Amino acid sequence: MLRLFSTIRKEYRLLFRDKMGLSLLFLMPVILITVMALIQDAPFKDYQELKFDILTVDNDHGRLARYIREGLAHSGQFRVIDTLDGQALTQERAKELVNKGDYKISIIIPHGATGAIVSNANKITNDLSRRMGLPVTAPVKLHDDSLNVVIYFDPAAKKAFKSAIHQALDNFLTQVETDLLIERIQQQLKAKGAPEQDSLNIQLKAIGLQEQTTAADAGPDVISNSVQHNVPAWSIFAMFFIVIPIAGNMIREREDGSLLRMKLIPGSYLAILAGKMLFFVSICVVQFYLMMLVGVYLLPLLGLPRLEMGSLYLPTFVIATCIGLAATAYGILIGTVFKTPNQALNFGAISIVILSAIGGIWIPLEVMPRHMQTIGHLSPLSWGLDAINNIYLRHGGMGSVWKQVGLLLAFAGALLGIAAWAEKRRIN
């Protein structure tokens, strides 16, 4: 026990002797999380959450254009602009404004669009009426006109943005054409002699679409956003940076002889290792909860969403401790294997950046190529982040994180085993 307490006391003195270093250990992660959450807030927003100015040019002056304008305005995703400076927009001006990047998107409704849709609806209605033995009365165009609603995008617009807007407009045009077809069918049935008071309320949406939470427990429905990703992710990243002071302390211990003096105290070397682990794991856990407080209290003051930590506190503490164990063990291995501070600090810092990049800290693993996802799941930072997401977003308990707990403990045990073997070889 003397070795254990002596090690904790020694680590405490070493760390607290460098007040600036201690301050940076806690302050820099706070700045890192705040900056990254602010920077990555926009990319994490779905295009459906944003509102766009959309230039509309109506060359049709029919029902289709009116339906489209009303529908776009009603969707809440678009602000419809059809006049600028008191003048109606023309196709040439809309194209010019979008090309200059003043606006992101413009749609041009061609002349005759309403007539083309009505003619197509009449053609379908006539075909159905003929098959049902009803008189065919609706007029149709003799020649099909090939008409397209033209869309202009800002040349700098991203492909994902174009796809999202394309899908939204395509769904809306389909809805308008369906409404016109139903209207024609209603008129045809009325013409057959249906009572005037018969509203013929035809609704195609027999099957709707409803989103429900997948959590078995009735926990709050937490939306994954920049804060829910960045705060846990960069907290884990900051915890792993504990390797820098650990490795630096271990190399200094060897150089100034304090490790030798610790070993002269009767007892096992395991007590020295345990003392070091206890001290630095405690620092990691304190660091983790400090970062969570930043997400809960500081980031909402900067206009970002509030971090939702759920109500499962024990699994969160367990996984934070396991991440701290893995990070501390990694630091001990680096401090044992490398001989100089330059070797240890360079390798430690760069390797953590690499592990974080492939482990989904910078960007979520889901958006990486498949082969990178496979590699990313080998990173201990990925295991920690998966476990935190299971608790915060999926409302899972200990049963949902046991795999990550096992992996982190096995990782820590393996690194400590390698460190012990390397230390034994050094002594021999």
Side-chain angles (χ1 to χ4, degrees):
M1 291 301 289
L2 181 59
R3 284 191 170 201
L4 175 68
F5 290 121
S6 298
T7 303
I8 294 175
R9 185 181 176 192
K10 182 262 301 174
E11 297 294 346
Y12 173 83
R13 286 187 168 182
L14 280 176
L15 191 62
F16 281 79
R17 183 183 298 167
D18 184 2
K19 295 288 191 301
M20 179 60 73
L22 181 64
S23 302
L24 292 176
L25 187 64
F26 289 98
L27 181 62
M28 291 309 292
V30 172
I31 297 174
L32 175 69
I33 287 175
T34 305
V35 171
M36 294 307 297
L38 286 169
I39 290 175
Q40 294 196 0
D41 186 49
F44 265 83
K45 285 184 177 175
D46 195 299
Y47 284 123
Q48 301 298 325
E49 300 175 32
L50 304 177
K51 199 163 186 173
F52 301 98
D53 289 333
I54 181 168
L55 301 179
T56 57
V57 178
D58 179 13
N59 291 327
D60 179 51
H61 304 292
R63 296 167 61 189
L64 175 63
R66 188 175 74 250
Y67 286 170
I68 288 178
R69 283 201 304 270
E70 292 174 355
L72 291 175
H74 183 69
S75 70
Q77 192 182 355
F78 301 99
R79 286 186 289 267
V80 179
I81 299 174
D82 53 11
T83 59
L84 284 175
D85 303 325
Q87 296 182 345
L89 272 173
T90 62
Q91 181 169 352
E92 290 71 22
R93 190 177 183 198
K95 183 178 178 181
E96 179 187 353
L97 291 171
V98 171
N99 189 56
K100 288 166 59 180
D102 294 342
Y103 293 89
K104 295 295 181 187
I105 180 173
S106 171
I107 62 171
I108 313 298
I109 302 165
H111 174 70
T114 300
I117 291 177
V118 171
S119 175
N120 187 57
N122 286 346
K123 191 182 297 182
I124 296 172
T125 306
N126 290 344
D127 187 55
L128 291 173
S129 299
R130 186 171 56 251
R131 293 169 187 269
M132 296 168 62
L134 300 176
V136 178
T137 57
V140 297
K141 287 186 175 181
L142 296 178
H143 303 286
D144 290 335
D145 295 328
S146 179
L147 296 177
N148 291 308
V149 172
V150 178
I151 310 176
Y152 292 121
F153 283 107
D154 180 358
K158 300 292 184 293
K159 189 176 180 180
F161 169 78
K162 292 182 177 180
S163 298
I165 299 300
H166 252 293
Q167 185 177 7
L169 288 174
D170 192 50
N171 290 341
F172 185 70
L173 285 173
T174 302
Q175 181 63 46
V176 171
E177 293 187 63
T178 304
D179 290 344
L180 283 172
L181 175 60
I182 292 173
E183 181 186 304
R184 290 288 153 179
I185 292 175
Q186 289 174 330
Q187 290 177 358
Q188 190 71 3
L189 292 175
K190 283 182 179 179
K192 178 61 181 172
E196 285 297 325
Q197 63 272 21
D198 188 351
S199 63
L200 295 173
N201 186 19
I202 301 174
Q203 292 185 354
L204 292 181
K205 288 190 175 180
I207 303 296
L209 189 64
Q210 183 182 30
E211 181 179 343
Q212 294 186 350
T213 179
T214 56
D217 191 8
D221 190 11
V222 181
I223 299 173
S224 180
N225 51 43
S226 60
V227 171
Q228 285 301 142
H229 171 78
N230 281 317
V231 173
W234 292 104
S235 298
I236 295 169
F237 177 77
M239 290 167 75
F240 264 82
F241 254 86
I242 200 75
V243 301
I244 304 299
I246 294 175
N249 285 357
M250 291 185 69
I251 293 172
R252 277 196 298 271
E253 285 171 2
R254 288 202 299 269
E255 290 176 346
D256 63 16
S258 58
L259 179 63
L260 179 61
R261 292 194 292 274
M262 292 287 295
K263 287 180 177 177
L264 291 177
I265 301 174
S268 169
Y269 177 71
L270 187 62
I272 298 176
L273 207 58
K276 196 182 293 292
M277 293 288 293
L278 277 173
F279 180 78
F280 283 107
V281 169
S282 301
I283 293 290
C284 286
V285 173
V286 171
Q287 208 178 32
F288 175 82
Y289 281 102
L290 177 65
M291 301 305 107
M292 296 303 109
L293 292 177
V294 170
V296 173
Y297 295 107
L298 176 61
L299 295 184
L301 298 177
L302 300 175
L304 297 177
R306 182 178 187 272
L307 176 70
E308 299 293 340
M309 296 179 62
S311 57
L312 302 169
Y313 303 116
L314 179 60
T316 304
F317 176 76
V318 170
I319 200 66
T321 304
C322 289
I323 295 170
L325 278 169
T328 304
Y330 190 47
I332 289 174
L333 176 64
I334 291 176
T336 304
V337 171
F338 292 99
K339 297 178 180 177
T340 67
N342 281 340
Q343 294 175 4
L345 302 186
N346 286 334
F347 178 85
I350 294 173
S351 63
I352 292 167
V353 171
I354 293 172
L355 288 173
S356 68
I358 65 173
I361 301 298
W362 298 72
I363 57 173
L365 278 177
E366 296 78 20
V367 299
M368 292 185 185
R370 186 170 296 277
H371 64 280
M372 284 305 299
Q373 291 184 26
T374 304
I375 297 172
H377 285 301
L378 301 177
S379 168
L381 283 82
S382 170
W383 306 334
L385 186 58
D386 280 346
I388 294 296
N389 285 338
N390 286 347
I391 298 168
Y392 287 1
L393 298 177
R394 303 185 179 100
H395 308 295
M398 279 304 302
S400 69
V401 298
W402 66 266
K403 179 182 174 184
Q404 289 84 1
V405 168
L407 286 170
L408 287 167
L409 290 178
F411 178 78
L415 297 192
L416 289 175
I418 296 172
W421 174 77
E423 182 65 18
K424 190 174 180 181
R425 279 199 62 182
R426 189 198 311 278
I427 294 172
N428 291 337

